[in-house]
Amino acid sequence: MAKSDKKSAVKALPAKGLPIDIGISAAHREAIAKGLNTLLADTFTLYLTTHNFHWNVTGPMFNTLHNMFMEQYTELWNAVDPIAERIRALGYPAIGSFADFGKATSLPDAPVEPPKAKEMIRILVAGHEAVARTARSLYPLVDEASDEPTADLLTQRLDIHEKTAWMLRSMLEE
């Protein structure tokens, strides 16, 4: 299944209960929630890859990367809850299974065999840049809906992913 087909497999179903009247149309809330579920899947996938690399890094940069990857996976772990809670505030369920994350993410899974340290860095740079693109792609819709809380969340995520990609990329310079 192609990535574009996989994303459409994750449906944004409204939560049951009282109607939501927060000044954002139901159509906008649904589209934003679907986009945020992709961001959630990307963030969780990058978290798993980063944690995997933390466990499996070797070589002369071991201590530096082991500690850096721990800081990064901790930050990513702490990011999934606010994303999921924003989805819930919009009235939709947050995805949470490996199957749903696999269908919704734009990132590849971590390699089966742990790569060398520099390849880990390259993979994480690409991952952070991909998550930044996912977050940025939601801005037109969020802006159209005047959804300031989601815009704020996206701005925070973009800042972190762009800075992390820059710092990791700097480690690859000779």
Side-chain angles (χ1 to χ4, degrees):
M1 188 180 290
K3 283 289 180 195
S4 60
D5 294 338
K6 289 171 79 172
K7 284 185 186 175
S8 64
V10 177
K11 294 178 177 46
L13 301 173
K16 294 182 173 125
L18 293 174
I20 296 173
D21 184 13
I22 59 173
I24 301 173
S25 73
H28 277 125
R29 286 187 297 103
E30 180 177 10
I32 293 167
K34 186 173 182 181
L36 286 173
N37 266 316
T38 300
L39 182 64
L40 179 61
D42 282 358
T43 303
F44 196 83
T45 301
L46 186 57
Y47 157 76
L48 287 174
T49 300
T50 307
H51 210 147
N52 175 329
F53 291 172
H54 165 79
W55 291 327
N56 291 299
V57 68
T58 60
M61 294 190 295
F62 170 80
N63 197 49
T64 298
L65 292 178
H66 185 74
N67 291 328
M68 178 185 284
F69 293 163
M70 183 170 64
E71 289 174 19
Q72 291 172 3
Y73 79 67
T74 300
E75 193 287 323
L76 290 162
W77 176 252
N78 288 325
V80 295
D81 203 51
I83 297 167
E85 288 178 354
R86 184 63 195 151
I87 295 164
R88 296 297 298 141
L90 292 169
Y92 289 85
I95 61 173
S97 71
F98 286 121
D100 283 343
F101 286 146
K103 290 174 189 170
T105 189
S106 67
L107 277 67
D109 200 0
V112 174
E113 292 293 321
K116 299 288 185 196
K118 284 194 174 187
E119 184 59 20
M120 288 178 174
I121 295 168
R122 284 184 191 90
I123 290 168
L124 293 178
V125 167
H128 282 280
E129 289 176 345
V131 178
R133 288 189 303 273
T134 297
R136 186 168 273 107
S137 73
L138 291 171
Y139 267 107
L141 177 60
V142 168
D143 186 47
E144 182 181 313
S146 299
D147 183 357
E148 289 81 6
T150 301
D152 182 54
L153 175 68
L154 295 173
T155 300
Q156 292 174 44
R157 297 312 311 150
L158 278 168
D159 182 52
I160 289 164
H161 290 294
E162 290 176 358
K163 282 182 183 174
T164 303
W166 157 61
M167 290 179 185
L168 287 165
R169 193 180 306 103
S170 295
M171 297 184 78
L172 296 173
E173 292 181 9
E174 296 297 325

